[in-house]
Amino acid sequence: MSDAKQMKTNALAVEATGLVKRFGKNRAVDGIDLAIPQGTVYGFLGPNGAGKTTTIKMLATLLRPDEGQARIMGHDLITEPDAVRSRVSLTGQFASVDEVLSGLENLIMIARLMGYSWREAKKRAFELLDAFGLQDAAKRQVKKYSGGMRRRIDIAASMVVRPDLLFLDEPTTGLDPRSRNQIWDIVRALVDTGTTVLLTTQYLDEADQLADRIAVIDHGKMIAEGTSGELKASVGSGVLHVRLLDPAVREQAQHLLADVLNVPIHLSSDPVALSAQLADTEHAGDALNVLNSNQIKVSQFSLGQPSLDEVFLTLTGKPAEPTTQEEGAAK
Amino acid sequence: MSVESMQDQQKMRTALVEQQRPSKPNGLSASLTFAWRALLKIKYLPEQLLDVTFFPVMFTLMFTYLFGGALAGSTGAYLQFLIPGILVQTVLFTTVYTGVALNTDISKGTFDRFRSLPIWSPSPLVGALLADAARYMIASIIVIALGLILGFRPHGGFVGIVIGIVLVLVFAFSISWIFSVLGLILRTSAAVMGISMTFLFPVTFASNIFVNPSTMPSWLRAVVNANPVSLLTTAVRGLMQGHVNVAEIGWVLLSSAVLILVFAPITMYLYRNKH
């Protein structure tokens, strides 16, 4: 690898040390360090109020950190805020387009503010509406958009001039699965064209699907960091998932498995499912045998890596926030 | 992957690949873009024109016909006194909208997106104030036109009227900064509206807009005469009636300058440090 190439792969989009933000006595962000390589997707995973959005607001120059420092694309957050602003873009519920105006008008406005002439601004706006599948909604007010369209126009507005670093705040919260997949495709396309993406999410599978690296954030602190594989590996070697045909025998199965495996057996909210975190996988076969010999019928028996849900439970001692499903379409 | 979705992917990529980055716009261009945005909203929310159309008409008719005869002997005589004053009152009440609109932008998140853009940072505020000036203009034209229809006969002529309106606009622009501060401090737009009105009612009524202060108790007369709104009203009356008094105009410009010098920096400080 040439030196120049080496430099490029090592270049960091975000480099932060000891970021702290206090609101009164509450330390909303309590000492966060970041090193996010360019051209990657980085996920902030955590429940509501964990400090994800506050961290992003600091990195986007909207909030001044009380302590710590950061460089964004090599520019200091405090001393060169204009240089930072011209390289980043912010998308999300706290940095929204104007919902009173139409999608077209919003994009023209942003394009004008970025320095396009009226004619070029209009051309660019139509190009983006077309690329994001919003051409039919160009002249409709954004507040009449569905949830998925709303997220797409928000992202399109951030792409009028392609930023080096895009902050995406909960891009798929409240979306139906189809719209969510569309947003995921868009994020992947953005990364392909060279943009670094920092996204926050409450959805574990979203972080798993999109992010190269994940930071798990709780109470303003980063409690774990790594690839999703590393995070899963740090929690244990594997998880046994069992589904029964008959919910009535679940308790019996629980006792039998506990005896064989010597670990706690969890009963999940699904009335036929059990799971156990294994220290080693040697006795998994015995587990299946003991269920068979007691005539307990099994519909699923699998050994796999722990889900990020389980990672979160292990790391924080409590489950990830129950995800509230909002109505996808805005009225 | 279907052919169609491959085409979509291609479109997306084309739209995203590195473009010629336009050069950064100057502050004026950015401000005018924000003014354009504010004026576009009238298309979607025409009811916001009510306070610059319906209210001035209502106030002028009410005061002229309910109180005019009692206050000035005849409605015709009162009109000559009232119209410059009602112009001042109408425009000042419209300035509240500046704070309300700013507060709405904050609560909707639009404000944070603007703040994260690489633009001259006061431009969203300056743009909004420029658009408001257009609204003040509409209100002014309606008041004067209605006055002329009812029998207002200004001796200052067209030029006097125009300079009078310009003076009102200058003062309104200056006082708007107070409401920007309120818009940035208060939590809801309803609170901005409520507190601004609580401030504006005494300030406009404890003035010489509706009555001559000569019959007021001496302490109140002193307050009324020192009220910048009275100074403005006196200056506008002078201009419209054709007796220009440079000192009166000077006082208005001085109070406008003081308002801007005090409240514009506070607004900008809050704007930059808002969380």
Side-chain angles (χ1 to χ4, degrees):
Chain A
M1 195 181 282
S2 72
D3 280 356
K5 185 84 190 273
Q6 183 75 39
M7 283 277 290
K8 192 156 181 97
T9 39
N10 286 345
L12 293 177
V14 178
E15 190 180 4
T17 46
L19 287 181
V20 171
K21 185 69 199 177
R22 287 180 289 265
F23 294 124
K25 281 186 180 167
N26 171 31
R27 289 168 82 88
V29 173
D30 194 5
I32 283 190
D33 301 334
L34 291 166
I36 303 175
Q38 289 184 16
T40 61
V41 181
Y42 196 86
F44 277 3
L45 176 66
N48 276 329
K52 308 182 299 268
T53 301
T54 307
T55 306
I56 283 196
K57 281 192 166 189
M58 285 194 283
L59 296 176
T61 76
L62 294 183
L63 271 181
R64 205 186 165 88
D66 292 322
E67 288 170 36
Q69 37 195 281
R71 297 181 79 77
I72 308 292
M73 307 303 298
H75 295 278
D76 189 274
L77 200 57
I78 312 289
T79 58
E80 306 168 83
D82 276 338
V84 172
R85 281 184 205 125
S86 62
R87 280 164 183 80
V88 306
S89 191
L90 196 55
T91 298
Q93 280 153 327
F94 68 86
S96 150
V97 300
D98 187 338
E99 61 177 24
V100 173
L101 302 185
S102 71
L104 176 65
E105 288 159 348
N106 266 296
L107 294 182
I108 291 177
M109 176 176 69
I110 303 277
R112 284 287 298 150
L113 294 173
M114 288 299 193
Y116 283 94
S117 68
W118 283 106
R119 206 170 53 88
E120 288 167 346
K122 203 167 177 184
K123 186 166 155 259
R124 180 71 179 138
F126 275 115
E127 184 179 29
L128 283 165
L129 287 165
D130 196 24
F132 282 79
L134 292 167
Q135 56 277 48
D136 297 336
K139 300 200 168 154
R140 206 181 310 157
Q141 277 183 285
V142 170
K143 68 176 171 195
K144 291 176 183 152
Y145 280 20
S146 72
M149 292 160 72
R150 177 65 195 259
R151 302 311 158 89
R152 278 183 276 150
I153 192 75
D154 270 328
I155 297 178
S158 281
M159 289 296 141
V160 169
V161 171
R162 193 180 63 80
D164 294 324
L165 173 61
L166 175 69
F167 297 106
L168 275 179
D169 189 48
E170 307 212 350
T172 64
T173 301
L175 294 190
D176 60 77
R178 190 170 156 268
S179 307
R180 194 176 61 165
N181 283 327
Q182 283 179 336
I183 300 289
W184 287 358
D185 284 344
I186 290 172
V187 172
R188 292 185 183 113
L190 299 184
V191 178
D192 279 356
T193 56
T195 297
T196 307
V197 176
L198 201 174
L199 65 89
T200 72
T201 182
Q202 301 183 41
Y203 298 125
L204 306 155
D205 60 330
E206 181 159 270
D208 208 356
Q209 282 275 337
L210 289 180
D212 297 299
R213 295 185 76 81
I214 299 166
V216 183
I217 297 185
D218 196 33
H219 293 109
K221 288 196 165 78
M222 197 188 282
I223 56 174
E225 204 264 356
T227 63
S228 91
E230 283 166 3
L231 288 180
K232 288 171 180 170
S234 73
V235 179
S237 61
V239 175
L240 179 68
H241 292 278
V242 180
R243 286 170 62 84
L244 309 174
L245 280 179
D246 179 7
V249 296
R250 186 162 76 151
E251 264 189 47
Q252 188 196 350
Q254 186 185 17
H255 292 303
L256 292 167
L257 290 175
D259 287 343
V260 180
L261 298 170
N262 271 322
V263 291
I265 309 297
H266 302 288
L267 302 179
S268 70
S269 54
D270 180 350
V272 294
L274 305 96
S275 68
Q277 205 151 324
L278 303 184
D280 58 72
T281 51
E282 286 169 30
H283 300 294
D286 301 342
L288 185 57
N289 286 337
V290 75
L291 293 178
N292 278 338
S293 56
N294 285 277
Q295 271 87 47
I296 293 177
K297 294 231 165 51
V298 172
S299 66
Q300 187 199 332
F301 186 92
S302 65
L303 190 60
Q305 283 201 313
S307 72
L308 274 169
D309 259 316
E310 287 150 350
V311 172
F312 211 90
L313 182 63
T314 315
L315 292 171
T316 63
K318 58 178 199 256
E321 204 81 343
T323 45
T324 42
Q325 289 285 349
E326 297 164 21
E327 195 56 48
K331 300 250 156 60
Chain B
M1 194 181 277
S2 70
V3 175
E4 197 181 75
S5 73
M6 270 173 65
Q7 281 173 345
D8 286 350
Q9 289 283 324
Q10 193 49 47
K11 256 189 217 164
M12 172 76 71
R13 261 157 245 261
T14 314
L16 294 179
V17 283
E18 203 61 66
Q19 310 234 331
Q20 196 70 31
R21 199 187 171 98
S23 57
K24 197 175 153 174
N26 58 40
L28 177 67
S29 160
S31 302
L32 288 175
T33 303
F34 283 110
W36 172 74
R37 163 189 182 240
L39 291 175
L40 267 181
K41 292 203 170 186
I42 296 177
K43 177 172 82 179
Y44 295 107
L45 306 165
E47 63 270 23
Q48 56 166 271
L49 282 183
L50 269 186
D51 55 357
V52 295
T53 52
F54 182 71
F55 286 106
V57 170
M58 187 180 73
F59 267 98
T60 309
L61 292 177
M62 269 179 22
F63 274 89
T64 307
Y65 291 106
L66 290 175
F67 305 131
L71 289 173
S74 73
T75 52
Y78 189 56
L79 265 180
Q80 313 310 318
F81 179 81
L82 177 69
I83 290 299
I86 210 95
L87 171 72
V88 169
Q89 193 224 21
T90 301
V91 173
L92 290 189
F93 271 76
T94 314
T95 57
V96 171
Y97 187 78
T98 309
V100 174
L102 182 57
N103 190 276
T104 308
D105 276 352
I106 293 170
S107 61
K108 297 277 184 194
T110 325
F111 173 85
D112 270 344
R113 187 185 272 269
F114 295 155
R115 280 205 309 158
S116 72
L117 294 175
I119 49 175
W120 182 53
S121 57
S123 56
L125 299 169
V126 174
L129 291 173
L130 287 176
D132 285 341
R135 295 158 44 83
Y136 307 156
M137 203 68 204
I138 296 172
S140 305
I141 291 168
I142 287 176
V143 171
I144 298 296
L146 180 67
L148 291 172
I149 291 167
L150 296 178
F152 176 53
R153 293 295 172 261
H155 301 297
F158 182 73
V159 176
I161 290 178
V162 169
I163 299 176
I165 290 178
V166 169
L167 199 60
V168 174
L169 293 190
V170 168
F171 188 79
F173 176 84
S174 316
I175 207 170
S176 294
W177 291 97
I178 297 182
F179 301 113
S180 313
V181 170
L182 290 176
L184 284 159
I185 292 175
L186 297 171
R187 218 170 294 213
T188 65
S189 55
V192 177
M193 183 64 104
I195 290 185
S196 304
M197 283 301 177
T198 312
F199 165 77
L200 269 181
F201 259 95
V203 168
T204 50
F205 278 83
S207 76
N208 60 2
I209 286 181
F210 300 104
V211 289
N212 188 320
S214 59
T215 59
M216 295 176 188
S218 61
W219 64 270
L220 180 59
R221 197 163 59 226
V223 171
V224 165
N225 284 336
N227 184 348
V229 176
S230 300
L231 299 175
L232 173 64
T233 308
T234 306
V236 175
R237 272 191 191 123
L239 283 167
M240 293 198 175
Q241 294 306 343
H243 33 86
V244 178
N245 183 327
V246 177
E248 286 171 353
I249 297 174
W251 277 113
V252 172
L253 295 178
L254 181 68
S255 23
S256 301
V258 169
L259 283 172
I260 293 179
L261 286 175
V262 173
F263 288 99
I266 298 178
T267 304
M268 284 320 299
Y269 174 81
L270 291 169
Y271 177 76
R272 288 211 183 88
N273 295 287
K274 178 93 189 164
H275 36 73

